[in-house]
Amino acid sequence: MEASVTHEVLNQVPPATGHDLAADPALLEAVGREGAASALGDLHALGVLAGTEEAAEWGRLANEHPPVLRTHDRYGNRLDEVEFHPAWHHLMRTAVERGLAALPWVSEEPGAHVARAAKFFVWSQVEAGHGCPVSMTYASIAALRHSPELAAVWEPALTAAAYDPGLRPRDAKRGVLAGMAMTEKQGGSDVRANTTAAEPLGDGSYLLTGHKWFNSAPMCDVFLVLAQAPGGLSCFLLPRVLPDGSRNTMRLMRLKDKLGNRSNASAEVEYDRAVAFLVGEEGRGVRTILEMVNLTRLDCLIGSAAGMRAGVTRAVHHARHRAAFGAKLIDQPLMRNVLADLALESEAATALAMRLAGATDRAGRGDTAEAALRRTALAAGKYYVCKRAPGHAAEALECLGGNGYVEESQMPRLFRESPLNGIWEGSGNVSALDLLRAVTREADSVEALHDEIALAAGADRRLDEAAERLRKTLSDPEEAEFRARGIAELATLTLQGALLVRFAPAAVADAFCASRLGEQRGGAYGMLPRGLNLDVVIGRAVPGQ
């Protein structure tokens, strides 16, 4: 008997693969103007790989098979090892070999930080969790260089374009990765409340005893750790394996069961007289490790911008192929409003992220004006872009309807990941208050922000009015701490508006200023005012174009 045909599969959207994820107009334009045009070939090669079904499968498998802690072997000996699915290793190998962990430190080309940031932006769209050890390895060099002798020993391995997992002595590995451990149970962001003690041995080494409540990426080979030395809170380099092959006494107590970022391991650890080496000076640990944190904060912003790009391109892809009520979703007026609004958020975040990567690059080459701009703009931007990411992910998910709520769409993973960059390296309040510190103590940084915005003066009335509001706000100390979030938001929106007015198509800049800086700002996405050219805005979010 012939089987019945119960249904046909119709009006379903094809997989969002087969696109070059680097073919992003906002990204490519920013890479060129920030001085990294020579990297575009490598960027497109990575973008093509990032757009494959194979890469998407690596991301899925790495999250469906999260890391597993092995505290002991079968005989009861301590192991303190973390096991990962092979997909994780594919993701990590690609990132390390393509320079995401080391490019600016091994290249003398201007724009190397920009090239590396662009690659991080593209590859993070495949899977965000593995970006944690990649980012920390990249950022660790800035702190480590406070101790040139240590840097001479460790930097060649940290900057090697070779992924070599497994716990072995540094000299037995082709490349190593770095993690970070600052947070303790009793302190959280208040690291000066840390109690982990560092006992000097007189030969340049110390013994650390204490705990860390969050140890990022405990499978790494070496960590920058804060501990209390006789001279005060200090920064230390702590290797997992000692030169003789023995394991340092860094005990992995348990892995955190997290909302998202499930492919990556985060652990609680204890140190029992673990060997470590001073980085920088005793008592200046916060200042030293902030060299690392400032770079990982930049990656938090880039990571949020990458998540926005992934969300809006998937939403646009779905809307281009899905029909409802007699027309494609992308042709429905209200859906177009939502998609264009998501695209504006994404483009503004991308422009700011790459501008700050450029400032980082030029600051590293001695440009004090760029360093001053980075001081205020990074604090404000890290707050606002990361804060906008969860709402953006939720709206992009909703564009797919019920399909977006299903794991196969990858949108739930994007949504779970979206709050994390706002928490990492100082949550929202910490970032907003960091901006206030710069405002009250570093006049050159405030003027650098105003000067950058002034480059777009006269091009748009709404932007000029926002710039004036910002100038008045930053000069008004009354209840500044209470208003810190609003100050950071205004600073970021004004700077984003200035960048788009200068560099984006007129339709994009007009829509951004009308919806973010005008008199009728909406709360939810999809509340753009009438009279805007949405074809251009949405067209720049079409995958692979």
Side-chain angles (χ1 to χ4, degrees), residues 486-536:
I487 294 171
E489 176 176 325
L490 178 59
T492 305
L493 285 172
T494 309
L495 179 55
Q496 286 178 325
L499 290 171
L500 295 181
V501 164
R502 292 172 63 199
F503 302 119
V508 173
D510 180 41
F512 183 89
C513 291
S515 57
R516 271 70 171 172
L517 302 178
E519 295 80 7
Q520 298 180 347
R521 288 183 58 201
Y525 287 101
M527 307 222 359
L528 298 178
R530 298 176 62 183
L532 302 175
N533 183 350
L534 302 189
D535 289 341
V536 173

Side-chain angles (χ1 to χ4, degrees), residues 33-35 114 354-378 444-445 447-449 451-452 455 495 499 502:
R33 66 176 175 262
E34 295 298 336
V114 178
M354 291 302 111
R355 177 66 183 91
L356 288 171
T360 297
D361 196 84
R362 289 183 282 275
R365 299 175 188 278
D367 190 323
T368 56
E370 289 289 277
L373 172 66
R374 184 178 179 276
R375 175 68 183 90
T376 47
L378 179 57
D444 59 333
S445 295
E447 284 308 307
L449 178 63
D451 290 346
E452 179 73 12
L455 294 173
L495 179 55
L499 290 171
R502 292 172 63 199

Side-chain angles (χ1 to χ4, degrees), residues 9-218:
V9 178
L10 303 172
N11 197 27
Q12 286 290 313
V13 176
T17 55
H19 307 295
D20 174 4
L21 296 194
D24 171 356
L27 175 68
L28 297 177
E29 292 161 11
V31 168
R33 66 176 175 262
E34 295 298 336
S38 61
L40 289 177
D42 287 345
L43 182 61
H44 280 295
L46 182 61
V48 170
L49 175 60
T52 61
E53 290 186 19
E54 182 180 35
E57 186 68 356
W58 291 343
R60 182 186 72 82
L61 290 172
N63 281 270
E64 290 200 2
H65 302 277
V68 176
L69 174 62
R70 304 296 185 195
T71 57
H72 296 78
D73 67 14
R74 60 183 293 189
Y75 305 107
N77 300 307
R78 296 254 2 165
L79 286 176
D80 297 301
E81 295 182 357
V82 185
E83 292 181 356
F84 290 85
H85 189 275
W88 166 271
H89 298 299
H90 287 305
L91 293 164
M92 286 295 301
R93 184 169 293 106
T94 300
V96 172
E97 292 180 354
R98 300 295 179 111
L100 278 67
L103 179 61
W105 312 118
V106 297
S107 172
E108 297 183 358
E109 287 285 324
H113 282 279
V114 178
R116 181 260 166 198
K119 289 183 176 183
F120 190 79
F121 176 91
V122 168
W123 193 240
S124 293
Q125 294 177 52
V126 176
E127 201 285 318
H130 77 289
C132 174
V134 172
S135 177
M136 289 188 297
T137 302
Y138 155 67
S140 67
I141 301 300
L144 192 57
R145 287 182 175 180
H146 281 266
S147 290
E149 292 182 2
L150 273 180
V153 172
W154 282 93
E155 192 168 323
L158 286 164
T159 58
Y163 176 61
D164 191 1
L167 295 181
R168 300 186 300 282
R170 183 197 66 250
D171 291 343
K173 302 193 69 173
R174 294 177 295 119
V176 301
L177 299 173
M180 182 194 299
M182 293 193 292
T183 308
E184 297 187 4
K185 297 182 181 74
Q186 72 284 347
S189 296
D190 183 9
V191 295
R192 295 194 182 278
N194 285 3
T195 60
T196 295
E199 174 191 348
L201 294 183
D203 61 357
S205 65
Y206 290 70
L207 296 180
L208 270 55
T209 302
H211 76 280
K212 294 296 173 183
W213 190 230
F214 280 95
N215 187 134
S216 296

Side-chain angles (χ1 to χ4, degrees), residues 450-503:
H450 290 314
D451 290 346
E452 179 73 12
I453 293 167
L455 294 173
D460 188 286
R461 173 188 58 81
R462 296 156 300 194
L463 176 60
D464 290 343
E465 291 173 352
E468 182 59 27
R469 288 197 304 274
L470 177 63
R471 185 172 288 278
K472 291 180 179 178
T473 299
L474 292 180
S475 63
D476 179 11
E478 186 176 354
E479 294 187 327
E481 183 171 334
F482 183 77
R483 298 180 294 114
R485 286 184 172 220
I487 294 171
E489 176 176 325
L490 178 59
T492 305
L493 285 172
T494 309
L495 179 55
Q496 286 178 325
L499 290 171
L500 295 181
V501 164
R502 292 172 63 199
F503 302 119

Side-chain angles (χ1 to χ4, degrees), residues 296-313:
T296 50
R297 281 179 175 169
L298 174 61
D299 276 2
C300 288
L301 196 162
I302 296 170
S304 288
M308 289 180 181
R309 175 66 184 178
V312 71
T313 53

